[in-house]
Amino acid sequence: MQVEQISVFLENKSGRLSEVTSILSEAKVNIRALALADTSDFGVLRLIVDDTEKARQTLKNNGFTVGKTNVVAVEVADRPGGLHDILTMLHNADLNVEYMYAFVRSSGDNAIMIFRFEKDQEAVQLLQSKGVNVIDGERLYQL
Amino acid sequence: MPREALESIQLRRLQTTLQRVYASVPFYRETFKAAGITPADIKTLKDLKYVPFTTKQDLRDNYPFNMFAVPMDNVVRIHASSGTTGQPTVVGYTARDVGTWSTLMARALSAGGAGRGDIIHNAYGYGLFTGGLGVHYGAERLGASVIPVSGGNTKRQVVIMKDFGATVITSTPSYALHLAEIAEDMGVSFASLKFKFGIFGAEPWSEKMREELERKLNLTAVDIYGLSEVMGPGVAIECHEAKKGLHVFEDHFIAEIVDPKTLEPLPYGETGELVFTSLTKEAFPVIRYRTRDITSLNPEPCVCGRTHVRMNRVTGRSDDMLIIRGVNVFPSQIESVLMEIKEVEPHYQLVVDREDNLDVLTVKVEVGERGFSDEVKGLQQLERRITKTIKELLGVSANVKLVEPKAIERSQGKAIRVVDNRQI
């Protein structure tokens, strides 16, 4: 139940982000979700795309430092407390969330959140045992 | 050659050179007179210490041709430094000088592992810079095949390396690493190429850089040294047998180490500024030329059998040396630190600013895939670790700034390692 995410190292210079989007657009890669974490000097752009390998290779060829990590896509009930319930489950099981961000699309009535866990196998098992829907990469890229 | 025989050749050639420059170069006649000496006063090699130094500024003051010791009719070649730090210095060669240079360069290539039958991929720049043509003529004199590929157009170079089956590469160490990166991007592995030796020079590099070059390029890397003011490449080279210090071709150049502050000669083994006197050059002899390069000389016998004294790696330049809040810092020291940290690429630049009367050193380091984390905290930890290591080893605090791959210019010639923005 893994989702592949690529991460790109960006210096904090104007135009760098649009360079990434332009390269991906030319390669006809669709961005499904994105989050940017930054400091005063640099940022790390995290992306979920419909063709991870193509995106990675194209960005690499254009001189970017690109990494690949596995993240987990979780369906979250679209109501007050939906996210809180899931975070409580994780907290009770002592499973740490490294970072999280929202997926652009929803699945039915539910929102989708992307989680990066320290122990992702255990987190997936826990969520599934509690009846939370974890979305597989192949389905997510095409959603 | 036994040292005694060598020294007797050196003395005879020195005396001839001094007489020639005194007679034909007004600059030398004036400085000798100001120092109260004539060439006849130099009776032993030890007397050389009474002869005044020549500096880069002296060469600039005599721009372009006033340091030449022969009429222009006899000058067949002119080279010049890049002039990045001011007015370029211009040097000339007679036909005999070009011949001597070729012979010394052939000798250097041979010590570095090349021979007849080798194909030399010469990626030093051709033109006013002495690197390209210096290696070129030496390779031809040696009887090797030389590919005059020069610098730049890197993707095409990778194709040529592959198709022509070159066995020896000559370039600056930073350009060699750039070639390795581009080759990797193109899916060409150096392990599949035929290179046996790499002869790298024109900028100082460290032992760690050697390991990196040997690993990435799958060859034996040796250090070559030269400068246009003294001749060009081929003043000194490491033998591939020992790879421990560069043999100075002492039958053509006298090397001295002096204290860069007091200018007093220092004994073998002590570190200071390298000074050269040319012994056989006709068009552009230099007398006690201050190279600004910081190194030491080692007279120990070498496993290769050569008796010429060895100069150790150039660790920096007396004018490139940064004094950061009173601490002497050479770029090579920072390079050694970075080479220990496997997550970063060996490409760096030191930027010094002065903020509120305090020196601030920024070390820009490129982030490679090995060190990359999708988490900001991982990258910040890496920055902190580099900062801590620099502080521990050099005693200076540096701001470490991670930059994107290839953000530090290096594709042509010499990488710019130091940017000093201090207005002092």
Side-chain angles (χ1 to χ4, degrees), chain A residues 5 7-11 16 37 39 42 44 46 60 63 65-67 69 98-99 116, chain B residues 184-185 367-369 372-377 379-380 383 400-405 407:
Chain A
Q5 170 196 268
S7 42
V8 188
F9 179 79
L10 292 178
E11 278 176 54
R16 283 314 264 166
T39 72
F42 63 82
V44 177
R46 299 157 188 153
K60 223 183 119 173
T65 297
V66 190
T69 6
E98 300 276 343
Y99 57 78
R116 167 93 153 92
Chain B
E184 195 191 333
D185 289 351
V367 182
E369 245 167 68
F372 187 49
S373 158
D374 61 316
E375 287 185 60
V376 169
K377 74 175 179 210
L379 292 166
Q380 286 173 328
E383 281 185 340
V400 172
K401 187 172 183 315
L402 299 176
V403 297
E404 287 172 22

Side-chain angles (χ1 to χ4, degrees), chain B residues 19-35:
Chain B
Q19 275 154 13
R20 254 169 30 78
V21 297
Y22 192 79
S24 54
V25 184
F27 166 80
Y28 285 117
R29 193 156 51 241
E30 283 158 26
T31 57
F32 284 24
K33 275 183 181 157

